[in-house]
Amino acid sequence: MSDKIKEALADYELRFHALFEQTHDAVFLLDFEGNHLEVNQRACEMFGYSKDEMLKLSYKDVSMKVDSSRDNLGILMREGTLPIYESLFKRKDGSIIPVEINAVLVRTRDDKPLFIQSALRDISARKRAENEYMKRVENEKKVKALSRFQAIMMNLAIGFVNISEDRMDEAIDQTLEMVGKMYGVDRAYLLRNDELSEDKLTNEWNNPGVVRPKAPTDINRMELPLSHEESCLGHVGFEVYSKDVKWQDESTTLLKVLALLLTNVIEKQIHENEMVKAKTEALLANEVKGNFLANMSHEFRTPLNGVIGMLGLLHKTTLDQKQKDYLDKALEFSRLLLHTLNDILDFSKIEAGMLKLEKTRFELHKIVEEATAIVSPAIFDKGLSLTVTIPKNVPECLIGDSLRIRQILINLMSNAVKFTEKGKVSIKVEMGEAIDENSAWFIFEITDTGIGMDPAQIESVFSPFVQADSSVTRQYGGTGLGLAIVKDLVQMMGGTVSLDSHPGKGSNFKVMIPLEFIEGDALDSWIYDSSKTETTKRVLLKVPLRRRTDPEVIEVKTREKLISQLIDALKAHKPKQSYDALEKLEIYFLRTEDQEVMSTIKVQIKNYKFDEALILAKSLQGGIFNEYP
C-alpha cells in the first residue's frame, strides 16, 4: 500500500472517530448478537458506565424491552433497515431513560453485513413535555366533564323535584342512560330494597349492541349504595365488559353524587307514598264518619219531627196563656234544633258524596217566592223591607234542582236577615250569557244593609264551622255551615258564588248557576230587551208579603183535601197512594220544617211504619198560610 493511501485511510479514520465522538447522540456499534463492539463517550455519559464497562455489555443488559429489542434485531438483519422507534433503557443507577433509536446494518462494498450501528437520542425532556401536555389536556377534559356532570346533575335535581310520580321511573331510566353514555359504560342499573325480599332490579339501561358476558369474572363493575341515615335504600351500579377500564377517583366521586341524587329521589317517593297512604286513610276515615252521619240523618230527624208534630197537635188543644208560651218556646227551640241538625247532616251528605242533584222542571218565580215566604216572618219582626226584582225576560219555567236552588236562596236570605238590624234585604234574579242554545247562566244576587265583613272575614266565611267573627257567634248563633253548604251546592251545580262586603255597609252575595230551558222554548225569545221593564215586588215595614185571595183559599182547601187523602192512605197502609198524595202536597208547603216532615213520612212509608207516619201527617193539618201575615 502506498504511503498516500495509508495517509488517506488514517485521515478518514481520524475524521470518523471525531464525528463518532462529537455527536450528541449515544452511538453503539454492535455485532450480530447484540454485543457492544464500540461506544462513544456520549453513550457512556448517558448510561453512567465507563467505556470498558460498556464494551462488556450487550443490549440485553441495558434494554427494558428485551423481547422487543431482540425482534427488532432480527428484522434489521433481514431487511437491513428499521424505522425510527422509541424504547426504554436503564442506566447503571437503575433509573429509566426514554430514547429514540435509529439503527442501520452496515455492509462492506460487496454487500456483506459488517456490524450494526445504533444511535440513541435521549427524549426525556420531550417525554416530560408530552406528559405535561397530556396531563393538561386530561385535566381540561376532567374539568369539562365535571362541568357537564354538574350541569346534568343540577338539571336532574330540578327535574326530579317537579316530576310527577307516574313519570318517575321513566326519568330514572333516562338518567341512567345519560350517565352511562357519558362515562362509556355498557350497563347502568338501579336496585331498590324491596320490603319483603332482597334487592330488586327496578331500573336498567344497556348499551345497544353489546352482549353482557355470562361469567361474572369478565365484568368490571362499580356499585354504590343508596344510603340514608342508618338504612340502605338500594344500590346504583355500572358495568363495563366491552373494553378495559380503570375507575378513577374522580369518576367514583362524581358517581357518588349521582347515588346521592337517586337516594333523595327514592326518599321523596317513599315520603310521597306515605303521604298518599296517610291521606287515603284520613279520607276513608272522614268518609266513614260522613257516611255514618248521612245514614243516621233519618234516625235523628224522625224522632225530632215527631216531637215537633206532637207539639203542633198539642198547640191546637185548649191551653191557658202560660202553657201556650211554654209550648211556643218548645216549638221554637225544636225548630232551631232541627235547622241546626239539617245543616250538619246536609254538610255530612255533601262531604260523603251522598247528596245527589236532580234535574226536574220547575217554576223559577215560584222558587223565589217560596224562599222569600220562609224568611218573611223574620223580616216582619225586625221591621225590614224586602225587595224582589225579576226582569220580564227571565223564563218562567226551567230545568234544574229546584229543591237545592231554594235551599241556597233560603240560606243566603236567612243569613242576610240575621245580620241586618235595620234597612233592607233584596233579592235580584237575572238571566246572564247563553251557554248554548239549550241553557244559560242565571244570576241570583242577595244584598243587605247589615254589619258587613272585612277582607279577612270574607276569606274564611265560606269555610265550614266558621262565622265572620267569633264574637258574633254568641250574638247571632248558628253552626257556621250555611255558607259552606251554599258554596258546595253551587259548585256541584257547576256554578260560582262570590261575595262583596264592607264593614258597616252590608254585603252582596252573587250566585251564578247554569240552568236549562224547557224543550220548545227558543233561546232568542229570552234575549234581554232593555225596553222591557223589571217586575218588582217591594215589601215595606209591616206590610204583609202575601194577601189572602180567592185562589189561595182554593189552594188551602186543595191542600187540606190532599192531607185527608194522605191520612186515609196511611190508615189503609197503601204506600203508592200515600206517595202520590205527598208529591202533590209538596207544592203547597213552603217552610223547611214542613218539607222535612214530609221527607220523614216518605222514609216511614218505605219502612212500612204507617202508624208513625200517620201521627206526622196529622201535624200538617191546620194550614201554613194562616201563620203568615
Side-chain angles (χ1 to χ4, degrees):
M1 183 181 296
S2 65
D3 292 336
K4 287 185 178 182
I5 295 175
K6 289 180 179 180
E7 185 179 346
L9 289 173
D11 183 58
Y12 175 79
E13 185 176 356
L14 181 63
R15 283 182 291 167
F16 173 79
H17 280 288
L19 182 63
F20 185 74
E21 292 294 341
Q22 289 177 5
T23 181
H24 291 290
D25 296 335
V27 182
F28 294 80
L29 301 181
L30 302 92
D31 62 17
F32 302 134
E33 299 296 328
N35 299 310
H36 297 167
L37 299 176
E38 186 64 53
V39 297
N40 65 357
Q41 186 59 35
R42 176 60 181 150
C44 296
E45 293 172 355
M46 185 183 294
F47 285 86
Y49 292 99
S50 66
K51 191 168 186 177
D52 291 339
E53 289 173 330
M54 287 293 287
L55 294 175
K56 294 178 181 178
L57 303 176
S58 70
Y59 77 91
K60 297 178 183 179
D61 300 312
V62 293
S63 176
M64 292 294 296
K65 300 180 178 180
V66 176
D67 293 341
S68 177
S69 297
R70 184 173 55 249
D71 293 341
N72 287 333
L73 184 63
I75 294 172
L76 187 61
M77 292 299 296
R78 293 193 304 271
E79 304 295 335
T81 184
L82 270 177
I84 297 175
Y85 65 96
E86 295 179 2
S87 187
L88 296 175
F89 283 75
K90 58 184 175 182
R91 296 187 179 95
K92 183 178 180 180
D93 61 5
S95 60
I96 308 301
I97 177 174
V99 296
E100 185 179 77
I101 303 173
N102 184 8
V104 296
L105 180 63
V106 180
R107 298 176 181 271
T108 62
R109 288 180 180 273
D110 54 0
D111 204 31
K112 290 183 178 180
L114 190 60
F115 56 83
I116 296 171
Q117 179 181 307
S118 178
L120 281 65
R121 178 169 295 176
D122 185 355
I123 57 173
S124 299
R126 191 179 80 189
K127 284 296 181 181
R128 282 194 298 270
E130 288 178 355
N131 289 337
E132 290 177 1
Y133 173 76
M134 293 303 296
K135 286 181 180 178
R136 186 166 64 252
V137 172
E138 188 66 25
N139 287 335
E140 290 177 356
K141 288 182 178 179
K142 289 179 180 178
V143 170
K144 289 181 180 179
L146 175 60
S147 177
R148 182 185 173 197
F149 188 86
Q150 288 175 337
I152 290 174
M153 289 300 103
M154 182 63 69
N155 292 334
L156 289 175
I158 295 173
F160 278 122
V161 168
N162 300 321
I163 199 167
S164 59
E165 175 66 24
D166 57 344
R167 293 191 62 246
M168 191 66 73
D169 280 340
E170 178 185 353
I172 293 176
D173 289 339
Q174 292 175 352
T175 300
L176 294 176
E177 179 181 1
M178 187 184 305
V179 176
K181 288 181 177 179
M182 178 178 174
Y183 280 93
V185 302
D186 297 319
R187 179 174 179 257
Y189 59 89
L190 177 68
L191 295 170
R192 291 181 58 173
N193 286 348
D194 189 79
E195 293 181 357
L196 304 176
S197 63
E198 298 295 329
D199 285 352
K200 181 179 179 182
L201 179 65
T202 56
N203 301 87
E204 182 180 20
W205 170 79
N206 290 280
N207 190 2
V210 179
V211 179
R212 186 170 185 263
K214 295 182 179 180
T217 54
D218 297 332
I219 299 175
N220 188 342
R221 179 187 295 113
M222 181 176 68
E223 196 167 85
L224 299 170
L226 306 180
S227 301
H228 172 65
E229 296 178 351
E230 297 181 357
S231 61
C232 181
L233 304 179
H235 294 82
V236 58
F238 303 91
E239 295 179 350
V240 180
Y241 26 84
S242 62
K243 58 186 175 182
D244 292 332
V245 67
K246 183 178 180 182
W247 300 104
Q248 302 294 329
D249 292 340
E250 295 84 355
S251 299
T252 304
T253 301
L254 294 178
L255 292 176
K256 284 181 180 178
V257 175
L258 174 64
L260 179 61
L261 172 63
L262 292 176
T263 301
N264 293 335
V265 170
I266 294 175
E267 184 183 2
K268 175 176 176 286
Q269 279 186 305
I270 293 173
H271 287 168
E272 287 181 351
N273 290 336
E274 290 176 350
M275 289 177 63
V276 170
K277 182 179 179 181
K279 181 180 179 181
T280 302
E281 291 176 352
L283 291 175
L284 179 61
N286 189 59
E287 183 179 354
V288 170
K289 177 196 69 176
N291 287 337
F292 171 76
L293 287 175
N295 290 329
M296 291 295 291
S297 65
H298 292 295
E299 301 300 326
F300 292 145
R301 287 170 173 164
T302 299
L304 186 55
N305 281 323
V307 170
I308 294 174
M310 296 305 294
L311 290 175
L313 292 175
L314 182 60
H315 199 280
K316 296 175 183 179
T317 62
T318 304
L319 301 170
D320 59 35
Q321 188 59 42
K322 191 173 185 179
Q323 290 173 327
K324 286 184 178 180
D325 289 342
Y326 288 156
L327 189 57
D328 288 340
K329 286 183 172 62
L331 277 169
E332 180 182 353
F333 292 141
S334 298
R335 288 166 179 165
L336 179 62
L337 178 59
L338 181 60
H339 178 73
T340 301
L341 184 61
N342 286 338
D343 280 349
I344 294 173
L345 294 175
D346 281 346
F347 182 74
S348 299
K349 275 187 175 182
I350 293 172
E351 289 289 293
M354 297 181 65
L355 192 145
K356 306 298 182 184
L357 297 178
E358 296 181 355
K359 276 191 175 184
T360 57
R361 181 183 182 278
F362 70 93
E363 297 178 21
L364 182 60
H365 296 65
K366 187 171 184 178
I367 293 298
V368 175
E369 184 177 358
E370 290 172 352
T372 55
I374 294 295
V375 299
S376 61
I379 291 176
F380 180 81
D381 291 340
K382 284 191 170 185
L384 306 175
S385 65
L386 171 65
T387 302
V388 181
T389 304
I390 305 177
K392 290 183 177 179
N393 71 313
V394 176
E396 286 285 343
C397 296
L398 294 165
I399 295 176
D401 193 324
S402 59
L403 178 63
R404 297 306 170 187
I405 294 174
R406 181 172 57 184
Q407 183 178 359
I408 291 169
L409 297 179
I410 291 173
N411 279 359
L412 291 177
M413 293 181 69
S414 298
N415 192 74
V417 174
K418 182 193 298 184
F419 294 102
T420 304
E421 296 302 325
K422 61 181 180 178
K424 65 178 181 179
V425 174
S426 64
I427 176 172
K428 183 177 182 180
V429 184
E430 292 181 305
M431 187 174 73
E433 295 181 359
I435 300 173
D436 52 41
E437 61 181 7
N438 298 317
S439 61
W441 290 100
F442 285 80
I443 305 167
F444 302 83
E445 287 191 70
I446 291 84
T447 307
D448 64 68
T449 58
I451 61 176
M453 286 172 277
D454 59 35
Q457 294 169 329
I458 293 174
E459 187 176 351
S460 61
V461 75
F462 288 105
S463 300
F465 305 105
V466 173
Q467 286 195 332
D469 189 349
S470 59
S471 63
V472 176
T473 306
R474 294 181 180 178
Q475 181 179 353
Y476 295 98
T479 60
L481 285 175
L483 294 181
I485 293 173
V486 167
K487 181 181 179 181
D488 288 338
L489 289 176
V490 171
Q491 289 180 344
M492 287 177 66
M493 294 181 185
T496 60
V497 58
S498 59
L499 169 62
D500 180 28
S501 183
H502 302 279
K505 296 183 179 180
S507 302
N508 173 264
F509 288 87
K510 185 175 182 180
V511 175
M512 294 182 63
I513 300 175
L515 296 173
E516 297 178 14
F517 299 112
I518 300 296
E519 186 176 356
D521 287 349
L523 176 61
D524 55 6
S525 66
W526 301 113
I527 298 299
Y528 180 72
D529 185 353
S530 59
S531 63
K532 295 181 180 179
T533 59
E534 294 180 338
T535 300
T536 303
K537 287 186 178 181
R538 182 175 295 276
V539 182
L540 300 176
L541 298 179
K542 298 185 178 179
V543 175
L545 174 66
R546 303 183 63 178
R547 297 184 182 277
R548 185 63 60 85
T549 59
D550 289 341
E552 289 182 351
V553 173
I554 296 173
E555 283 189 354
V556 171
K557 291 183 178 179
T558 304
R559 182 186 61 217
E560 291 175 350
K561 181 179 179 181
L562 289 171
I563 293 175
S564 298
Q565 292 177 0
L566 172 63
I567 291 173
D568 292 341
L570 291 173
K571 287 180 179 179
H573 293 187
K574 296 180 178 179
K576 185 179 184 306
Q577 289 84 340
S578 300
Y579 272 120
D580 291 342
L582 278 171
E583 288 180 359
K584 295 176 182 178
L585 273 170
E586 285 181 344
I587 64 174
Y588 295 103
F589 287 84
L590 306 180
R591 296 184 307 182
T592 303
E593 51 264 37
D594 295 307
Q595 294 285 345
E596 293 295 340
V597 169
M598 290 188 288
S599 176
T600 303
I601 292 175
K602 284 184 179 180
V603 175
Q604 291 173 336
I605 294 172
K606 182 179 180 180
N607 294 326
Y608 297 97
K609 296 180 179 180
F610 294 100
D611 294 337
E612 296 178 13
L614 182 60
I615 295 173
L616 293 178
K618 290 180 179 180
S619 71
L620 296 174
Q621 290 177 316
I624 291 175
F625 292 108
N626 294 335
E627 298 182 16
Y628 291 156

